Amino acid sequence: MKITSARVIVTCPGRNFVTLKVETDQGVYGIGDATLNGREKAVVSYLEDHVVPCLVGMDPGRIEDIWQYLYRGAYWRRGPVTMRAIAAVDMALWDIKGKMAGMPVYQLLGGRSRDGVMVYGHANGSDIAETVEAVGHYIDLGYKAIRAQTGVPGIKDAYGVGRGKLYYEPADAALPSVTGWDTRKALNYVPKLFEELRKTYGFDHHLLHDGHHRYTPQEAANLGKQLEPFQLFWLEDCTPAENQEAFKLVRQHTTTPLAVGEIFNTIWDCKDLIQNQLIDYIRATVVGAGGLTHLRRIADLASLYQIRTGCHGATDLSPVTMGCALHFDTWVPNFGIQEYMRHTPETDEVFPHDYHFDQGELFVGDTPGHGVDIDEALAAKYPYKPAYLPVARLEDGTMWNW
């Protein structure tokens, strides 16, 4: 069996997605996701110019060898562009292997560790009252876990406040829009949100919060300490993780569980965090961390230290990544939770899939492969649209972490 061609498909049914379709001489094909929010053209160029030509003639069954070829064979390796290109190939090859075997990918990984995958949704509001109402809406939909974000008085366009109730897309303009940030105002306001949520809904549901890299280690520790009475499932991205030792200071001062990793690309980005037990959940993704082949290694390392998975699952990941993530989640022994931001109906039509939501959990089907396809004719009706993520500035104009 040989790879005969590989094609990159870019479509924008509400947001941009980069899909790789790998075809073989036996008529079996697989698809993978290489979406990189706001940097789609970079990963398309890398795939078309540097990856696709190398794939033709290769045996698609040699998944591990092809992964090593694309990773070790590139002298300038790692980074979001390279690893997403590798991830797209890896997903497509697992899809092909599953189809050839007549088995869903989770069976190839080792079979089920659970029946359903607990997911969390995003409840957002311009203020505390709106967010409390949004959390109630997710509870009514059957969610057992909800991430709660609120606008903060005096902060322009605060992170996490979406433009819709279920579909949140932050990439909103052809050039980056400017949002505001004030840490002191957030520290004085966010704990009040969770106080009100527990007062309203009690402690039966898991609550999560995303700091989105906005806090210094000391500020993050302060926030985690204030949130302890409300028993969060986790505090996510409380401080930038380029300096992994920063989490030591946070860990020393709060027992609120910590999660990080959605922007990580390899096991090296989280090695020290895991080995020093500075986090409780690792959030690396199938698409961001080089595919299923490499994400399994990250999960295995984490399991040695009783750290669980909590894969990123926002709308900047296509249904292809979500399908692969759910096969991974169904298998991985040290599973924690899966983020689930719903795609628009247009996206779901372009990417037909066999996973479904029921009572706070997602369930994969038994379609051979990863169970997600692409309707190329429909995809062609949604051409690429330039879209950047926003940037953030402090009140005095200083650039900050978005």
Coordinates of all heavy atoms in Angstrom, one line a residue, residues 83-172:
M83 N 4.6 21.2 14.0 CA 3.9 20.1 14.8 C 2.4 20.0 14.3 O 1.9 18.9 14.3 CB 3.9 20.4 16.3 CG 5.4 20.4 16.8 SD 6.3 18.9 16.4 CE 5.4 17.6 17.4
R84 N 1.8 21.0 13.8 CA 0.4 20.9 13.3 C 0.4 20.2 12.0 O -0.5 19.4 11.6 CB -0.3 22.2 13.3 CG -0.7 22.7 14.6 CD -1.3 24.1 14.7 NE -1.5 24.4 16.1 CZ -2.6 24.4 16.8 NH1 -3.7 24.1 16.2 NH2 -2.6 24.8 18.0
A85 N 1.5 20.4 11.2 CA 1.6 19.7 9.9 C 1.8 18.2 10.2 O 1.2 17.4 9.5 CB 2.7 20.3 9.1
I86 N 2.7 17.9 11.1 CA 2.9 16.5 11.5 C 1.6 15.9 12.0 O 1.2 14.7 11.7 CB 4.0 16.4 12.5 CG1 5.4 16.8 11.9 CG2 4.1 15.0 13.1 CD1 6.5 16.8 12.9
A87 N 0.9 16.6 12.8 CA -0.4 16.2 13.4 C -1.4 15.8 12.3 O -2.1 14.8 12.4 CB -1.0 17.2 14.4
A88 N -1.5 16.6 11.3 CA -2.4 16.4 10.2 C -2.1 15.1 9.5 O -3.0 14.3 9.2 CB -2.4 17.5 9.2
V89 N -0.8 14.8 9.2 CA -0.4 13.6 8.6 C -0.8 12.4 9.5 O -1.3 11.4 9.1 CB 1.1 13.6 8.3 CG1 1.5 12.2 7.8 CG2 1.4 14.7 7.3
D90 N -0.4 12.6 10.8 CA -0.6 11.5 11.8 C -2.1 11.1 11.9 O -2.4 9.9 11.9 CB -0.1 11.9 13.1 CG 0.0 10.8 14.1 OD1 0.9 9.9 14.0 OD2 -0.8 10.7 15.1
M91 N -3.0 12.1 12.0 CA -4.4 11.8 12.1 C -4.9 11.1 10.9 O -5.7 10.1 11.0 CB -5.2 13.1 12.3 CG -5.1 13.7 13.6 SD -6.2 15.2 13.7 CE -5.0 16.5 14.0
A92 N -4.4 11.5 9.7 CA -4.9 10.9 8.4 C -4.4 9.5 8.4 O -5.1 8.6 7.9 CB -4.3 11.7 7.3
L93 N -3.2 9.2 8.9 CA -2.7 7.8 8.8 C -3.4 6.9 9.8 O -3.6 5.7 9.5 CB -1.2 7.8 9.1 CG -0.3 8.6 8.1 CD1 1.2 8.4 8.4 CD2 -0.6 8.2 6.6
W94 N -3.7 7.4 11.0 CA -4.5 6.6 11.9 C -5.9 6.3 11.3 O -6.5 5.2 11.5 CB -4.6 7.3 13.2 CG -3.5 7.1 14.1 CD1 -2.4 8.0 14.3 CD2 -3.2 6.0 14.9 NE1 -1.5 7.5 15.2 CE2 -1.9 6.2 15.6 CE3 -3.8 4.7 15.1 CZ2 -1.4 5.3 16.5 CZ3 -3.2 3.8 16.0 CH2 -2.0 4.1 16.7
D95 N -6.5 7.3 10.6 CA -7.8 7.1 9.9 C -7.7 6.0 8.9 O -8.5 5.1 8.8 CB -8.1 8.5 9.3 CG -9.6 8.5 8.8 OD1 -10.4 7.8 9.4 OD2 -9.9 9.4 8.0
I96 N -6.6 6.0 8.1 CA -6.4 5.0 7.0 C -6.3 3.6 7.7 O -6.9 2.6 7.3 CB -5.2 5.3 6.2 CG1 -5.5 6.6 5.3 CG2 -4.8 4.1 5.3 CD1 -4.3 7.1 4.6
K97 N -5.4 3.6 8.7 CA -5.2 2.3 9.4 C -6.5 1.7 10.0 O -6.7 0.5 9.9 CB -4.1 2.4 10.5 CG -3.7 1.0 11.0 CD -2.5 1.2 12.0 CE -1.2 1.4 11.3 NZ -0.7 0.1 10.6
G98 N -7.3 2.6 10.6 CA -8.6 2.1 11.1 C -9.5 1.6 10.0 O -10.2 0.6 10.2
K99 N -9.5 2.3 8.9 CA -10.4 1.8 7.8 C -9.9 0.5 7.2 O -10.7 -0.4 6.9 CB -10.4 2.9 6.7 CG -11.2 4.2 7.1 CD -11.0 5.3 6.1 CE -11.8 6.5 6.5 NZ -11.6 7.7 5.6
M100 N -8.6 0.4 7.1 CA -8.0 -0.9 6.6 C -8.3 -2.1 7.5 O -8.6 -3.2 7.1 CB -6.5 -0.8 6.4 CG -6.2 0.2 5.2 SD -6.8 -0.4 3.6 CE -5.9 -1.9 3.4
A101 N -8.3 -1.8 8.8 CA -8.5 -2.8 9.8 C -10.0 -3.1 10.1 O -10.4 -4.1 10.7 CB -7.8 -2.4 11.2
G102 N -10.9 -2.1 9.6 CA -12.3 -2.2 9.9 C -12.6 -1.9 11.3 O -13.6 -2.4 11.9
M103 N -11.8 -1.1 12.0 CA -11.9 -0.8 13.4 C -11.9 0.7 13.7 O -11.2 1.4 13.0 CB -10.8 -1.5 14.2 CG -10.8 -3.0 14.0 SD -9.3 -3.7 14.8 CE -9.7 -3.5 16.5
P104 N -12.6 1.2 14.7 CA -12.4 2.6 15.1 C -11.1 2.8 15.8 O -10.5 1.8 16.3 CB -13.6 2.8 16.1 CG -13.8 1.4 16.7 CD -13.6 0.5 15.5
V105 N -10.6 4.0 15.7 CA -9.2 4.3 16.2 C -9.0 3.9 17.7 O -8.0 3.4 18.1 CB -8.8 5.7 16.0 CG1 -7.6 6.1 16.7 CG2 -8.6 6.0 14.5
Y106 N -10.1 4.1 18.5 CA -9.9 3.8 19.9 C -9.5 2.3 20.1 O -8.8 1.9 21.1 CB -11.1 4.2 20.8 CG -12.3 3.3 20.6 CD1 -12.4 2.1 21.3 CD2 -13.4 3.7 19.8 CE1 -13.6 1.3 21.2 CE2 -14.5 2.9 19.7 CZ -14.6 1.7 20.4 OH -15.7 0.9 20.3
Q107 N -10.0 1.4 19.2 CA -9.7 0.0 19.4 C -8.2 -0.2 19.0 O -7.5 -1.0 19.6 CB -10.6 -0.8 18.4 CG -12.0 -0.9 18.8 CD -12.3 -1.8 20.0 OE1 -11.4 -2.1 20.8 NE2 -13.5 -2.1 20.2
L108 N -7.7 0.5 18.0 CA -6.3 0.4 17.7 C -5.4 0.9 18.8 O -4.3 0.4 19.0 CB -6.0 1.2 16.4 CG -6.8 0.8 15.1 CD1 -6.4 1.7 14.0 CD2 -6.6 -0.7 14.8
L109 N -5.9 1.9 19.6 CA -5.1 2.4 20.7 C -5.0 1.4 21.8 O -4.1 1.6 22.7 CB -5.6 3.7 21.1 CG -5.6 4.9 20.1 CD1 -6.3 6.1 20.6 CD2 -4.1 5.3 19.8
G110 N -6.0 0.5 21.9 CA -6.0 -0.4 23.0 C -7.4 -0.7 23.6 O -7.5 -1.4 24.6
G111 N -8.4 -0.1 23.0 CA -9.8 -0.4 23.4 C -10.2 0.7 24.5 O -9.5 1.6 24.9
R112 N -11.5 0.5 24.8 CA -12.1 1.5 25.7 C -11.6 1.4 27.2 O -11.4 0.3 27.7 CB -13.6 1.2 25.8 CG -14.4 1.6 24.5 CD -15.9 1.4 24.8 NE -16.7 1.7 23.6 CZ -17.1 2.9 23.3 NH1 -16.8 3.9 24.1 NH2 -17.8 3.2 22.2
S113 N -11.4 2.6 27.8 CA -11.2 2.7 29.2 C -12.5 3.2 29.9 O -12.6 3.2 31.1 CB -10.1 3.6 29.5 OG -8.8 3.1 29.1
R114 N -13.4 3.7 29.0 CA -14.7 4.3 29.5 C -15.7 4.3 28.4 O -15.4 4.1 27.3 CB -14.5 5.7 30.1 CG -14.0 6.7 29.0 CD -13.4 7.9 29.7 NE -12.4 7.6 30.7 CZ -11.1 7.2 30.5 NH1 -10.7 7.2 29.2 NH2 -10.3 6.9 31.5
D115 N -17.0 4.4 28.8 CA -18.1 4.4 27.8 C -18.2 5.8 27.2 O -18.3 5.9 26.0 CB -19.4 3.9 28.4 CG -19.3 2.5 28.9 OD1 -18.6 1.7 28.2 OD2 -19.8 2.2 30.0
G116 N -18.3 6.8 28.0 CA -18.5 8.2 27.6 C -17.4 9.1 28.1 O -16.7 8.8 29.0
V117 N -17.3 10.3 27.4 CA -16.2 11.2 27.7 C -16.9 12.5 28.3 O -17.6 13.2 27.6 CB -15.4 11.6 26.4 CG1 -14.5 12.7 26.7 CG2 -14.7 10.3 25.9
M118 N -16.6 12.7 29.6 CA -17.1 13.9 30.2 C -16.5 15.2 29.6 O -15.3 15.3 29.4 CB -16.9 14.0 31.7 CG -17.6 15.2 32.4 SD -17.5 15.1 34.2 CE -15.8 15.4 34.5
V119 N -17.4 16.1 29.2 CA -17.0 17.4 28.6 C -17.4 18.6 29.4 O -18.4 18.5 30.2 CB -17.5 17.5 27.1 CG1 -17.0 16.3 26.3 CG2 -19.0 17.5 27.1
Y120 N -16.8 19.7 29.1 CA -17.3 21.0 29.7 C -17.6 22.0 28.6 O -16.9 22.0 27.6 CB -16.3 21.5 30.7 CG -15.0 22.0 30.2 CD1 -14.8 23.4 29.8 CD2 -13.9 21.2 30.1 CE1 -13.6 23.9 29.4 CE2 -12.6 21.7 29.7 CZ -12.5 23.0 29.3 OH -11.3 23.5 28.9
G121 N -18.6 22.8 28.8 CA -18.9 23.8 27.9 C -18.5 25.2 28.4 O -18.0 25.3 29.6
H122 N -18.7 26.2 27.6 CA -18.3 27.6 28.0 C -19.5 28.5 28.3 O -20.3 28.7 27.4 CB -17.5 28.2 26.8 CG -16.2 27.7 26.6 ND1 -15.2 28.4 25.9 CD2 -15.6 26.5 27.0 CE1 -14.1 27.7 25.9 NE2 -14.3 26.5 26.6
A123 N -19.6 28.9 29.5 CA -20.7 29.8 29.9 C -20.1 31.2 30.1 O -19.2 31.4 30.9 CB -21.3 29.4 31.2
N124 N -20.5 32.2 29.2 CA -19.9 33.5 29.2 C -21.0 34.5 29.5 O -22.2 34.3 29.1 CB -19.2 33.8 27.9 CG -18.3 32.6 27.5 OD1 -17.5 32.2 28.2 ND2 -18.5 32.2 26.2
G125 N -20.6 35.7 30.0 CA -21.5 36.8 30.2 C -20.8 38.1 30.3 O -19.6 38.1 30.6
S126 N -21.4 39.2 30.0 CA -20.8 40.5 30.1 C -20.6 40.9 31.6 O -19.9 41.8 31.9 CB -21.6 41.6 29.4 OG -22.9 41.6 29.9
D127 N -21.4 40.3 32.5 CA -21.2 40.5 33.9 C -21.6 39.3 34.7 O -21.9 38.2 34.1 CB -22.1 41.7 34.4 CG -23.6 41.6 34.0 OD1 -24.0 40.4 33.9 OD2 -24.3 42.6 33.9
I128 N -21.6 39.3 36.0 CA -21.8 38.1 36.8 C -23.2 37.6 36.6 O -23.4 36.4 36.4 CB -21.6 38.5 38.3 CG1 -20.1 38.6 38.6 CG2 -22.2 37.4 39.2 CD1 -19.8 39.0 40.0
A129 N -24.2 38.5 36.5 CA -25.6 38.0 36.3 C -25.8 37.2 35.0 O -26.4 36.2 35.0 CB -26.6 39.2 36.4
E130 N -25.2 37.7 34.0 CA -25.3 37.1 32.7 C -24.6 35.7 32.7 O -25.1 34.7 32.1 CB -24.7 37.9 31.5 CG -25.7 39.0 31.0 CD -25.2 39.6 29.7 OE1 -24.2 39.0 29.1 OE2 -25.8 40.6 29.3
T131 N -23.4 35.6 33.3 CA -22.7 34.4 33.4 C -23.5 33.4 34.2 O -23.5 32.2 33.9 CB -21.3 34.6 33.9 OG1 -20.6 35.5 33.1 CG2 -20.5 33.3 33.9
V132 N -24.0 33.8 35.3 CA -24.8 32.9 36.2 C -26.0 32.3 35.4 O -26.3 31.1 35.4 CB -25.3 33.6 37.4 CG1 -26.3 32.7 38.2 CG2 -24.2 34.0 38.4
E133 N -26.6 33.1 34.6 CA -27.7 32.7 33.7 C -27.2 31.7 32.7 O -27.8 30.6 32.4 CB -28.4 33.8 33.1 CG -29.6 33.4 32.2 CD -30.2 34.6 31.5 OE1 -29.8 35.8 31.7 OE2 -31.1 34.4 30.7
A134 N -26.1 32.0 32.1 CA -25.5 31.1 31.1 C -25.1 29.7 31.7 O -25.3 28.7 31.0 CB -24.3 31.8 30.4
V135 N -24.6 29.7 32.9 CA -24.2 28.4 33.5 C -25.5 27.6 33.7 O -25.5 26.4 33.4 CB -23.5 28.7 34.9 CG1 -23.5 27.4 35.7 CG2 -22.1 29.2 34.6
G136 N -26.6 28.3 34.1 CA -27.9 27.6 34.2 C -28.3 26.9 32.9 O -28.9 25.8 32.9
H137 N -28.1 27.6 31.8 CA -28.5 27.1 30.5 C -27.7 25.8 30.2 O -28.3 24.9 29.7 CB -28.2 28.2 29.4 CG -28.5 27.7 28.0 ND1 -29.7 27.3 27.6 CD2 -27.7 27.7 26.9 CE1 -29.7 27.0 26.4 NE2 -28.5 27.2 25.9
Y138 N -26.4 25.8 30.5 CA -25.6 24.6 30.3 C -26.0 23.5 31.2 O -26.0 22.3 30.8 CB -24.1 24.9 30.4 CG -23.5 25.5 29.2 CD1 -23.5 26.8 28.9 CD2 -22.9 24.6 28.2 CE1 -22.9 27.3 27.8 CE2 -22.4 25.1 27.1 CZ -22.4 26.5 26.8 OH -21.8 27.0 25.7
I139 N -26.4 23.8 32.4 CA -26.9 22.7 33.3 C -28.2 22.2 32.7 O -28.4 20.9 32.7 CB -27.1 23.3 34.7 CG1 -25.8 23.7 35.4 CG2 -27.9 22.4 35.6 CD1 -25.9 24.4 36.7
D140 N -29.0 23.0 32.2 CA -30.3 22.5 31.6 C -30.0 21.6 30.4 O -30.8 20.7 30.0 CB -31.2 23.7 31.1 CG -31.7 24.5 32.3 OD1 -31.7 23.9 33.4 OD2 -32.1 25.6 32.1
L141 N -28.9 21.9 29.7 CA -28.5 21.0 28.5 C -27.9 19.7 28.9 O -27.7 18.8 28.1 CB -27.5 21.8 27.6 CG -28.0 23.0 26.8 CD1 -26.9 23.7 26.2 CD2 -29.0 22.6 25.8
G142 N -27.7 19.5 30.2 CA -27.2 18.3 30.7 C -25.7 18.2 31.1 O -25.2 17.2 31.5
Y143 N -25.0 19.4 30.9 CA -23.6 19.4 31.3 C -23.3 19.2 32.7 O -24.0 19.7 33.6 CB -23.0 20.8 30.8 CG -22.7 20.9 29.4 CD1 -23.8 21.2 28.5 CD2 -21.5 20.7 28.8 CE1 -23.6 21.4 27.1 CE2 -21.2 20.9 27.5 CZ -22.3 21.2 26.6 OH -22.0 21.3 25.3
K144 N -22.3 18.4 33.0 CA -21.9 18.2 34.4 C -20.7 19.1 34.8 O -20.4 19.2 36.0 CB -21.4 16.7 34.6 CG -22.4 15.7 34.1 CD -21.8 14.3 34.0 CE -22.8 13.3 33.5 NZ -22.2 12.0 33.3
A145 N -20.1 19.7 33.8 CA -19.0 20.6 34.0 C -19.1 21.8 33.1 O -19.4 21.7 31.9 CB -17.7 19.9 33.8
I146 N -18.8 23.0 33.7 CA -19.0 24.2 32.9 C -17.9 25.2 33.2 O -17.5 25.4 34.4 CB -20.3 25.0 33.2 CG1 -21.5 24.0 33.0 CG2 -20.5 26.2 32.4 CD1 -22.1 23.5 34.3
R147 N -17.2 25.8 32.2 CA -16.3 26.8 32.4 C -17.0 28.1 32.4 O -17.8 28.4 31.5 CB -15.2 26.8 31.2 CG -14.0 27.7 31.5 CD -13.2 27.9 30.3 NE -13.7 29.0 29.4 CZ -13.1 29.6 28.5 NH1 -11.8 29.3 28.2 NH2 -13.6 30.6 27.7
A148 N -16.7 29.0 33.4 CA -17.4 30.2 33.6 C -16.5 31.4 33.5 O -15.4 31.5 34.1 CB -18.1 30.3 35.0
Q149 N -16.8 32.3 32.6 CA -16.0 33.5 32.3 C -17.0 34.7 32.4 O -18.1 34.6 31.9 CB -15.3 33.5 31.0 CG -14.5 32.3 30.7 CD -13.2 32.2 31.5 OE1 -12.8 31.2 32.0 NE2 -12.5 33.4 31.7
T150 N -16.5 35.8 32.9 CA -17.3 37.0 32.9 C -16.6 38.3 32.5 O -15.4 38.3 32.7 CB -17.8 37.2 34.4 OG1 -18.7 38.4 34.4 CG2 -16.7 37.4 35.4
G151 N -17.3 39.2 31.9 CA -16.7 40.5 31.7 C -16.5 41.2 33.1 O -17.1 40.8 34.1
V152 N -15.5 42.1 33.1 CA -15.2 42.7 34.3 C -15.4 44.2 34.1 O -14.9 44.8 33.2 CB -13.7 42.5 34.7 CG1 -13.3 43.2 35.9 CG2 -13.4 41.0 34.8
P153 N -16.1 44.9 35.0 CA -16.4 46.3 34.9 C -15.1 47.1 34.7 O -14.2 46.9 35.5 CB -17.1 46.6 36.2 CG -17.8 45.4 36.7 CD -16.8 44.3 36.2
G154 N -15.1 47.9 33.7 CA -13.9 48.8 33.5 C -12.9 48.2 32.6 O -11.9 48.9 32.2
I155 N -13.1 46.9 32.1 CA -12.1 46.3 31.2 C -12.8 46.2 29.8 O -13.9 45.6 29.7 CB -11.7 44.9 31.7 CG1 -10.9 45.0 33.0 CG2 -10.8 44.2 30.6 CD1 -10.4 43.7 33.5
K156 N -12.2 46.7 28.8 CA -12.8 46.7 27.4 C -12.7 45.3 26.8 O -11.6 44.7 26.7 CB -12.0 47.6 26.6 CG -12.4 47.7 25.1 CD -11.6 48.7 24.3 CE -12.0 48.7 22.8 NZ -11.7 47.5 22.1
D157 N -13.8 44.7 26.5 CA -13.9 43.4 25.7 C -13.1 42.4 26.5 O -12.2 41.7 25.9 CB -13.4 43.6 24.3 CG -14.2 44.6 23.5 OD1 -15.4 44.7 23.7 OD2 -13.6 45.3 22.6
A158 N -13.5 42.1 27.7 CA -12.7 41.1 28.5 C -12.7 39.7 27.8 O -13.7 39.3 27.2 CB -13.3 41.0 29.9
Y159 N -11.6 39.0 28.0 CA -11.5 37.7 27.5 C -12.7 36.8 27.9 O -13.1 36.8 29.0 CB -10.2 37.0 27.9 CG -10.2 35.5 27.6 CD1 -10.0 35.1 26.3 CD2 -10.5 34.6 28.6 CE1 -10.1 33.7 26.0 CE2 -10.5 33.2 28.3 CZ -10.4 32.8 27.0 OH -10.4 31.5 26.6
G160 N -13.1 35.9 26.9 CA -14.1 34.9 27.2 C -15.5 35.3 27.0 O -16.4 34.5 27.2
V161 N -15.8 36.6 26.8 CA -17.2 37.0 26.6 C -17.5 36.9 25.1 O -17.1 37.7 24.3 CB -17.3 38.5 27.1 CG1 -18.8 38.9 26.9 CG2 -16.9 38.6 28.5
G162 N -18.2 35.8 24.8 CA -18.5 35.5 23.4 C -19.6 36.4 22.8 O -20.3 37.1 23.5
R163 N -19.8 36.2 21.5 CA -20.9 37.0 20.8 C -22.1 36.1 20.6 O -23.1 36.6 20.0 CB -20.3 37.4 19.4 CG -19.2 38.4 19.5 CD -18.8 38.9 18.2 NE -18.2 37.8 17.4 CZ -16.9 37.4 17.5 NH1 -16.1 38.0 18.4 NH2 -16.4 36.5 16.7
G164 N -22.1 35.0 21.2 CA -23.3 34.1 21.1 C -23.3 33.2 22.3 O -22.4 33.1 23.1
K165 N -24.4 32.5 22.5 CA -24.6 31.6 23.7 C -23.9 30.3 23.6 O -23.4 29.8 24.6 CB -26.1 31.4 23.8 CG -26.9 32.6 24.1 CD -26.5 33.3 25.4 CE -27.3 34.6 25.7 NZ -26.8 35.3 26.9
L166 N -23.7 29.7 22.3 CA -23.1 28.5 22.2 C -21.9 28.5 21.3 O -21.0 27.7 21.4 CB -24.1 27.4 21.6 CG -25.2 27.0 22.6 CD1 -26.1 26.0 21.8 CD2 -24.6 26.3 23.8
Y167 N -21.8 29.5 20.4 CA -20.7 29.5 19.4 C -19.9 30.8 19.7 O -20.3 31.9 19.5 CB -21.3 29.6 18.0 CG -22.4 28.5 17.8 CD1 -23.7 28.9 17.6 CD2 -22.1 27.2 17.9 CE1 -24.7 28.0 17.4 CE2 -23.1 26.2 17.7 CZ -24.4 26.6 17.5 OH -25.3 25.7 17.3
Y168 N -18.6 30.5 20.2 CA -17.7 31.6 20.5 C -16.5 31.6 19.6 O -15.8 30.6 19.6 CB -17.3 31.5 22.0 CG -16.2 32.4 22.4 CD1 -16.3 33.7 22.2 CD2 -15.0 31.8 23.0 CE1 -15.2 34.6 22.6 CE2 -14.0 32.7 23.4 CZ -14.1 34.0 23.2 OH -13.0 34.8 23.5
E169 N -16.3 32.6 18.8 CA -15.2 32.6 17.9 C -14.4 33.9 18.2 O -14.9 35.0 17.8 CB -15.6 32.6 16.5 CG -14.5 32.7 15.5 CD -13.3 31.9 15.8 OE1 -13.4 30.7 15.9 OE2 -12.2 32.5 16.1
P170 N -13.3 33.9 18.8 CA -12.5 35.1 19.2 C -11.8 35.7 18.0 O -11.5 36.9 18.0 CB -11.5 34.7 20.2 CG -11.4 33.2 20.0 CD -12.7 32.7 19.5
A171 N -11.4 35.0 16.9 CA -10.8 35.5 15.8 C -11.8 36.3 15.0 O -12.7 35.8 14.3 CB -10.2 34.4 14.9
D172 N -11.7 37.6 15.1 CA -12.9 38.5 14.7 C -12.6 39.5 13.6 O -13.5 40.3 13.3 CB -13.5 39.1 15.9 CG -12.5 40.1 16.6 OD1 -11.3 40.1 16.2 OD2 -12.8 40.7 17.6

